[in-house]
Amino acid sequence: MNLKDILDEKEKKEVISAEPEMDIREALATIVKNKIGALLVKDKEEKLVGIITERDILWHLLKDCEKMMQKKVSDIMTKDVIVGIPEDNVETAEKLMTVNRFRHLPVMDGNEVAGIISIGDLVKCQLGNMKVENRYLTDYITGKYPV
Ligand code: AMP
């Protein structure tokens, strides 16, 4: 299974994004309203320029609570975004998330954002694989296959 398969299976296909100039309060409201954990940050030309997650907001809130709400997305976003491509397999995405300690991986099709994969999407995919394997093993053990 590759990242394109996971994106195709996702119910929510829309990728919610923010502009670098958006203030933090609005970014947080967008995250909460859409029940997501991250916003991709795109400039006016729709180029991916960063990612901001609920963790970024939480970390900065603890550092400087008072000034936090005056900040913009571009002040606290991560600028060096690590991305996957649709042909990457699930193991590659898992490795990228584990090694780099993040839970969101944008998937780029050339210069276009094809989607975003969260650690939850990967867990769901692995769970699906385990269910199928379990079913085949059970059928095999209980003699449902012709010998
Ligand atoms: P997360 O675990 O996804 O909430 O993110 C933890 C930290 O990693 C935050 O500082 C995010 O801005 C950053 N981050 C999340 N996803 C990515 C990514 N794909 N590439 C680079 N940094 C990321």
Side-chain angles (χ1 to χ4, degrees), residues 59-126:
W59 289 338
H60 281 79
L61 207 55
L62 193 65
K63 254 203 263 167
D64 195 352
C65 190
E66 259 129 59
K67 286 198 189 133
M68 182 62 186
M69 289 305 165
Q70 293 152 24
K71 289 186 193 284
K72 292 178 190 157
V73 163
S74 58
D75 295 328
I76 71 167
M77 70 186 188
T78 300
K79 294 186 175 100
D80 296 320
V81 186
I82 296 170
V83 300
I85 56 169
E87 295 75 28
D88 279 336
N89 59 33
V90 173
E91 288 74 29
T92 305
E94 282 171 347
K95 224 172 247 170
L96 284 174
M97 287 191 191
T98 312
V99 171
N100 296 291
R101 293 175 163 270
F102 58 65
R103 299 165 299 166
H104 300 91
L105 185 69
V107 182
M108 299 296 291
D109 195 358
N111 288 330
E112 302 265 301
V113 174
I116 184 164
I117 286 182
S118 73
I119 203 156
D121 296 323
L122 294 182
V123 170
K124 207 168 147 190
C125 160
Q126 298 292 34

Side-chain angles (χ1 to χ4, degrees), residues 8-91:
D8 287 345
E9 277 181 17
K10 272 181 84 153
E11 274 169 39
K12 267 192 192 172
K13 292 203 172 29
E14 191 193 356
V15 179
I16 318 276
S17 57
E19 284 185 4
E21 297 304 305
M22 185 187 264
D23 66 53
I24 293 302
R25 188 183 291 274
E26 200 182 336
L28 189 55
T30 308
I31 285 176
V32 172
K33 185 175 145 226
N34 291 284
K35 298 189 175 78
I36 52 175
L39 295 172
L40 294 188
V41 187
K42 289 181 180 172
D43 66 11
K44 293 217 160 48
E45 283 79 42
E46 290 287 297
K47 189 177 158 233
L48 181 67
V49 291
I51 185 165
I52 182 167
T53 77
E54 53 198 355
R55 274 197 190 172
D56 292 315
I57 297 175
L58 213 59
W59 289 338
H60 281 79
L61 207 55
L62 193 65
K63 254 203 263 167
D64 195 352
C65 190
E66 259 129 59
K67 286 198 189 133
M68 182 62 186
M69 289 305 165
Q70 293 152 24
K71 289 186 193 284
K72 292 178 190 157
V73 163
S74 58
D75 295 328
I76 71 167
M77 70 186 188
T78 300
K79 294 186 175 100
D80 296 320
V81 186
I82 296 170
V83 300
I85 56 169
E87 295 75 28
D88 279 336
N89 59 33
V90 173
E91 288 74 29

